[in-house]
Amino acid sequence: MKRLLIVLFAVPVCVFAQNKALIIEGVSPDLYINHTVASKENYYSIGRIYNISPKEVAPYNKLVLESGLSLGQALKIPLTDVNFLQSGAAASDEVLVPVYHTVAGKEGLYRISTNYNKLPLETLKKWNNLKSDAVANGTNLIVGYLKVKKELSPLASMAKAKPADNIEKVAEVPAKPIVTRETPKQEVSNESTPVVKTPAKENPVVVAKVKKEPVETIVAKNPEPVKKVTPPASNGKGFDGGAFKSEYEKQVRNKDIEGETGEAAIFKSTSGWEDGKYYCLHNSSTPGTIIKITSSTTGKSIYAKVLDVMPDIKQNTGLLVRLSNAAAQELGTNDAKFVCSVSYSK
């Protein structure tokens, strides 16, 4: 009787353990979730939980499918295109369960986004309602979603709605109303022949020409302002070094200023072209610090927020700083590498 009671109490505990927040492990493309085998679980039941074939789980853990599993055994559940989503939407029979990364050490958003399939920074901020680039240690950040079947996985109860992917995708929505050209035709075709002539003349003037032509010109020219405004950003938009200038002045006020001189390189970014928000990677300062970068060639300065340290790769050997291409544009340089000086407060 005592043994029976122990089993009855143990089963709910195991089920509850699987319903805690899903923490992601590894670095892309080798991403996975840890799972502890509960009572009566096998490869097939675990596969249903995480929407993945048992034939993938076994070899991923260097195990044989036919050998079975033991209670309490630790498994790695691979995150693949089948069960892991970072853009788009789930199928009609699926729901999305948030997958989290726990911030540790001096991790910044840039490093986190790089480790998880180069997830766009703006997407990372939107999913986690972040208004700044500073994140405290121990914070759980959503970096993707596990796709599970509504009727098969107990994790379905943890599902959440995923925010819209990108502003760029939302911008494509106005293109759909252009299809409304067909609407007048359908309405006209349902009417009798004598009446067709009157609405046919009115509709092209009111709907097709007045409404649709502005939509087409706006949609068609959306990409152009981004490219054409870019070069004269400093004078056309009046950024005067960037949006973080006043924040830099607050950070250095009544504090010792560190100064360094060395070689700078560039990374591509969509930020800064329209709002003057420049970003950089710098090893000597902490994420969130605003640093002043001055080109030794042009004498111009910009103010950039540090996202993270530079990755320890060959391309970054000997570099002092990497800054966004929008920042380099305002400095007046198109060189892949150039000499600059930086200043900041510790």
Side-chain angles (χ1 to χ4, degrees):
M1 184 65 181
K2 288 183 179 180
R3 291 183 179 178
L4 179 60
L5 289 174
I6 291 172
V7 172
L8 290 175
F9 280 109
V11 172
V13 170
C14 294
V15 174
F16 176 78
Q18 303 301 344
N19 284 342
K20 62 184 180 181
L22 302 180
I23 305 299
I24 197 169
E25 301 287 347
V27 175
S28 59
D30 186 22
L31 300 173
Y32 61 90
I33 296 172
N34 287 318
H35 175 89
T36 302
V37 178
S39 176
K40 297 183 180 180
E41 284 187 338
N42 55 40
Y43 283 113
Y44 294 90
S45 62
I46 293 172
R48 288 193 291 271
I49 293 174
Y50 297 101
N51 192 19
I52 191 168
S53 169
K55 294 180 180 180
E56 290 190 56
V57 177
Y60 189 81
N61 289 271
K62 298 180 180 179
L63 299 172
V64 179
L65 185 63
E66 293 74 19
S67 298
L69 297 169
S70 304
L71 181 64
Q73 186 175 353
L75 288 179
K76 294 180 180 179
I77 308 300
L79 297 176
T80 67
D81 292 339
V82 174
N83 66 348
F84 187 58
L85 179 147
Q86 288 180 301
S87 63
S92 58
D93 63 339
E94 296 174 336
V95 290
L96 300 177
V97 180
V99 177
Y100 299 89
H101 165 81
T102 303
V103 179
K106 292 185 177 180
E107 282 186 323
L109 295 185
Y110 178 81
R111 183 187 298 179
I112 295 170
S113 69
T114 301
N115 287 347
Y116 299 117
N117 300 320
K118 296 183 178 180
L119 181 68
L121 287 175
E122 291 304 317
T123 301
L124 189 59
K125 284 184 173 181
K126 184 185 294 184
W127 285 356
N128 295 280
N129 295 319
L130 298 177
K131 295 184 179 179
S132 70
D133 298 304
V135 186
N137 287 351
T139 303
N140 280 347
L141 296 180
I142 298 174
V143 293
Y145 293 84
L146 184 74
K147 296 187 290 184
V148 300
K149 300 295 182 181
K150 296 178 184 178
E151 306 299 329
L152 298 178
S153 174
L155 297 178
S157 60
M158 301 166 59
K160 290 185 179 180
K162 180 174 72 68
D165 288 337
N166 290 317
I167 298 173
E168 297 171 5
K169 290 190 177 181
V170 176
E172 295 174 3
V173 174
K176 292 182 180 179
I178 297 176
V179 183
T180 54
R181 290 178 179 174
E182 298 177 1
T183 305
K185 293 179 181 179
Q186 291 174 352
E187 292 176 356
V188 169
S189 63
N190 291 333
E191 297 176 359
S192 59
T193 306
V195 186
V196 169
K197 295 181 180 179
T198 304
K201 291 179 180 179
E202 293 176 356
N203 286 336
V205 176
V206 178
V207 179
K209 293 184 179 180
V210 176
K211 289 186 178 180
K212 292 177 181 178
E213 288 181 4
V215 172
E216 290 175 350
T217 53
I218 291 172
V219 172
K221 291 183 180 180
N222 267 344
E224 293 180 9
V226 177
K227 294 179 182 178
K228 292 184 177 180
V229 172
T230 298
S234 57
N235 48 25
K237 294 270 185 177
F239 292 149
D240 188 26
F244 297 127
K245 181 178 181 180
S246 59
E247 194 172 341
Y248 168 82
E249 293 171 347
K250 290 179 182 178
Q251 287 186 1
V252 301
R253 189 174 298 158
N254 301 323
K255 293 182 180 179
D256 294 333
I257 299 178
E258 299 287 336
E260 300 172 325
T261 300
E263 195 171 48
I266 300 169
F267 66 85
K268 292 183 180 180
S269 172
T270 57
S271 299
W273 300 109
E274 292 294 314
D275 55 12
K277 291 183 178 180
Y278 304 132
Y279 296 94
C280 67
L281 304 176
H282 185 235
N283 291 345
S284 304
S285 54
T286 57
T289 302
I290 310 299
I291 68 174
K292 180 180 180 180
I293 304 174
T294 303
S295 168
S296 300
T297 304
T298 65
K300 294 182 179 181
S301 300
I302 60 95
Y303 302 84
K305 179 175 287 190
V306 177
L307 291 174
D308 208 334
V309 298
M310 288 182 285
D312 187 15
I313 55 177
K314 183 179 179 180
Q315 292 88 330
N316 292 331
T317 302
L319 288 183
L320 171 64
V321 65
R322 269 194 184 272
L323 66 161
S324 65
N325 47 351
Q329 179 72 52
E330 178 142 342
L331 285 176
T333 178
N334 292 319
D335 297 332
K337 292 184 179 180
F338 58 93
V339 178
C340 72
S341 60
V342 303
S343 58
Y344 58 96
S345 64
K346 281 193 174 182

